[in-house]
Amino acid sequence: MSSNKPQLTSSSYDDKIEDVSFEEGTSPTPTPDPDRIAEEKALVRRLDRRILPIACLLYLFAYLDRSNLGNARLQQLPEDILGGDPTGELFDMINSVFFITYIVFQIPATVVSKLFPPRVWMACTAIGWGLSSTLMATAFNYPGMIVARLFLGIFESGFGPAIPLYFSFFYTKQEMGLRMAYWFGFAAVAGAFGGLVAFGIQQVHANVQNWRLLFIVEASSGISISVDYRLMVDLGHPAVLLGIVTLFFLPNRPESTSLFNERERELALERMNRDSSGDSGATVNKAHIWMALKDWRIYTGGVIYFGLNCALASISAFLPTIIKTLGYSNANAQLLTVPPYACAAVVLVLFCMASDRLQSRGIFMAISSGIGGIGYLLMLTVLDNNHVRYFATFCIVAGTYTTIGIIIAWFAHNLGSETKKATGIPMFMAIGQCGSVLGSHLFPKTQGPRYIKGFAITCALEFLAVVCAIILTISYRWENARRNKIYGKPRPGVKINTLELADKAPEFRYVP
């Protein structure tokens, strides 16, 4: 865009769009413009090429950094720095302490993120958690590992909940599910990749302990420094390098990014305001914060997310241990974590594609969470068939990951305004991460090899998520029907003004 032309802002563009109007009955649908459709598809492809690789790789490294403890447990970490940890309680605390700072800082970090350019915010969080994770390899005692995990939680809390908000700047509700599937699917990719790396590390015989080598390899390339015991710790962590890339290449908001020409900016802003138009830019609407705090649906989403994250945390930390109970060696148990994660990535993408096409989230969430619950039931009831029990791990991982990917997409477009999203998304995520703390303590050594308590609790929470998802989807469908009856159906393709009421605006319609 040439410098002598004024920059088009979101607020100035809003003035050019007519307010939505209602008619009794069904309004005629405008005839699609083939040229505009082609332009929009080209813009989405360009956004995908620029945004998705950076966001997905960031999440890959973030999830590797938080979940590599599960493999490190089988590579003598407790024996080296936890005095053997005969009860498993110290390891459980190291695993769960990450979630304490992650929970506490989620809401303020995501709200404050609105006041900064997205590329700057995302870059700083990535660099921070990359350094924190790298320094985990320098820990030589329990307190050192605790401190590293606390800081890891602080920096990652500013990334995870901010991504759905960021995606909503560029993608419509018809596109959001698949993009969230790509993004969250990299958590499953991280699980598979971490298992492969751990299997390779298990075969190495070096002067450095294998669990330290695991952290170092996952933080490979860069400048090394020497620390005690001649351990070479890498400070050129991929997350740090990717954070620098993010600073220069991740697009800022549609109204301010240099990625677009004038026509692309106009189209991007129209798409941004298609489903809702309220506060935008470096502003925070205090009334919408209060609306989020009073919204019962966000708390119901938190109950769902609680159960899912309880399962997710236990999967991340204990899946290698669980598979080992099937009679495999440490190395083979780590290798056999790869297929369930690969299956989860495929199922996640397929379910999210279908939910985008049908514009229905709750039903798909209920199905996928039910699959996870069935997996835990098999673990509880089938005791002597290892093939069935290994199949159950596929159900558990695929069902849990898929439900999480869909619920993030669900709330990204059902809260109406940016401030309510910036408050509501980390709200239900913070509630959910309390489940991560619980999941980190459900599989102590003393409960093995049956782990009845852990499997029973996560099974019940998965089925509770099924019930809550059904309640939410019925609620959204009922509310949409009520508004259609009172106000008529809003005409498609026009701006929905959510400046004052967010998703409570009469013309706003939920994705059920």
Side-chain angles (χ1 to χ4, degrees):
M1 186 172 65
S2 59
S3 59
N4 60 341
K5 294 181 180 179
Q7 186 176 16
L8 187 62
T9 65
S10 178
S11 57
S12 65
Y13 187 73
D14 287 349
D15 297 336
K16 298 184 178 184
I17 306 176
E18 296 180 356
D19 287 337
V20 68
S21 61
F22 299 93
E23 298 177 4
E24 293 298 331
T26 303
S27 302
T29 302
T31 303
D33 181 353
D35 292 336
R36 185 178 182 83
I37 292 174
E39 278 187 299
E40 191 165 339
K41 288 183 177 179
L43 177 63
V44 172
R45 286 194 297 269
R46 189 177 185 198
L47 289 170
D48 286 345
R49 289 194 298 267
R50 178 62 72 91
I51 293 174
L52 290 181
I54 296 175
C56 291
L57 286 174
L58 281 172
Y59 199 57
L60 170 68
F61 293 127
Y63 206 80
L64 272 175
D65 292 343
R66 78 168 71 167
S67 64
N68 50 17
L69 277 179
N71 290 311
R73 186 186 198 186
L74 297 185
Q75 296 183 347
Q76 306 303 305
L77 183 151
E79 288 74 12
D80 287 338
I81 66 171
L82 302 180
D85 192 20
T87 64
E89 293 179 359
L90 295 180
F91 177 85
D92 291 351
M93 184 58 66
I94 288 174
N95 187 40
S96 63
V97 74
F98 161 86
F99 298 105
I100 295 175
T101 48
Y102 193 80
I103 292 166
V104 170
F105 287 93
Q106 273 194 41
I107 295 176
T110 310
V111 172
V112 171
S113 73
K114 273 180 56 62
L115 305 178
F116 294 87
R119 62 184 179 86
V120 174
W121 181 265
M122 300 295 182
C124 290
T125 60
I127 292 171
W129 90 62
L131 291 175
S132 299
S133 177
T134 303
L135 293 175
M136 286 171 59
T138 71
F140 289 94
N141 53 35
Y142 175 69
M145 187 65 75
I146 288 288
V147 170
R149 295 283 291 179
L150 284 170
F151 277 95
L152 188 67
I154 291 173
F155 288 109
E156 286 200 26
S157 70
F159 170 70
I163 281 289
L165 175 64
Y166 175 72
F167 275 21
S168 70
F169 299 159
F170 298 97
Y171 296 111
T172 66
K173 62 185 180 182
Q174 289 80 18
E175 301 159 351
M176 192 70 169
L178 183 58
R179 273 69 191 180
M180 292 310 305
Y182 290 149
W183 177 72
F184 189 72
F186 269 71
V189 173
F193 180 71
L196 287 173
V197 171
F199 175 77
I201 294 298
Q202 193 73 36
Q203 316 307 315
V204 174
H205 302 284
N207 293 329
V208 176
Q209 298 99 321
N210 279 0
W211 67 268
R212 295 188 191 275
L213 194 59
L214 175 66
F215 290 148
I216 296 170
V217 169
E218 289 183 354
S220 59
S221 80
I223 302 172
S224 298
I225 60 172
S226 295
V227 296
D228 293 345
Y229 302 109
R230 299 180 180 179
L231 174 65
M232 301 302 290
V233 179
D234 188 335
L235 290 184
H237 193 284
V240 176
L241 300 178
L242 190 57
I244 297 171
V245 171
T246 299
L247 184 61
F248 291 98
F249 292 100
L250 188 72
N252 273 329
R253 298 175 56 90
E255 65 266 26
S256 60
T257 181
S258 60
L259 177 67
F260 297 146
N261 59 37
E262 186 174 357
R263 173 57 184 159
E264 289 172 331
R265 192 183 311 280
E266 180 181 341
L267 183 58
L269 287 169
E270 186 277 324
R271 285 165 46 83
M272 183 181 180
N273 289 281
R274 185 174 296 168
D275 301 315
S276 61
S277 174
D279 62 296
S280 61
T283 60
V284 173
N285 189 324
K286 296 180 181 178
H288 290 188
I289 295 177
W290 182 241
M291 289 176 66
L293 293 173
K294 295 189 299 181
D295 192 337
W296 70 270
R297 291 188 179 97
I298 295 176
Y299 293 99
T300 305
V303 173
I304 297 173
Y305 212 62
F306 180 95
L308 299 175
N309 275 278
C310 178
L312 185 68
S314 60
I315 290 168
S316 301
F318 302 109
L319 184 60
T321 301
I322 292 170
I323 292 178
K324 184 183 176 183
T325 65
L326 305 183
Y328 297 102
S329 66
N330 286 353
N332 287 338
Q334 291 164 342
L335 184 62
L336 287 173
T337 63
V338 176
Y341 282 117
C343 175
V346 174
V347 173
L348 171 61
V349 170
L350 291 177
F351 269 57
C352 286
M353 287 177 64
S355 73
D356 269 355
R357 182 175 294 273
L358 298 177
Q359 280 300 280
S360 176
R361 311 285 192 206
I363 298 301
F364 289 96
M365 282 176 52
I367 294 171
S368 58
S369 190
I371 292 172
I374 290 171
Y376 283 113
L377 271 179
L378 292 174
M379 281 293 193
L380 283 168
T381 58
V382 179
L383 305 179
D384 56 357
N385 190 325
N386 287 341
H387 296 293
V388 173
R389 290 173 66 82
Y390 185 53
F391 168 76
T393 65
F394 283 75
C395 295
I396 292 169
V397 179
T400 301
Y401 275 77
T402 299
T403 313
I404 291 177
I406 297 176
I407 193 175
I408 296 173
W410 205 7
F411 279 93
H413 272 289
N414 268 4
L415 297 178
S417 73
E418 287 187 20
T419 295
K420 191 170 183 184
K421 292 174 191 175
T423 308
I425 292 173
M427 269 180 62
F428 85 79
M429 285 187 169
I431 295 170
Q433 294 300 344
C434 295
S436 300
V437 178
L438 173 63
S440 301
H441 294 272
L442 287 181
F443 294 87
K445 287 182 178 180
T446 54
Q447 295 285 326
R450 291 281 307 278
Y451 297 109
I452 293 175
K453 181 180 74 172
F455 289 141
I457 291 174
T458 45
C459 178
L461 289 174
E462 289 271 10
F463 285 117
L464 177 61
V466 173
V467 174
C468 291
I470 292 173
I471 291 172
L472 277 181
T473 191
I474 291 174
S475 168
Y476 284 135
R477 293 173 195 275
W478 180 85
E479 182 61 22
N480 285 346
R482 187 189 71 84
R483 292 182 189 180
N484 286 342
K485 183 177 180 179
I486 297 174
Y487 306 107
K489 293 183 179 180
R491 291 183 302 176
V494 293
K495 184 186 76 171
I496 298 175
N497 190 347
T498 57
L499 178 62
E500 294 184 8
L501 299 177
D503 59 301
K504 301 301 181 183
E507 62 269 29
F508 187 87
R509 297 296 180 270
Y510 297 102
V511 177

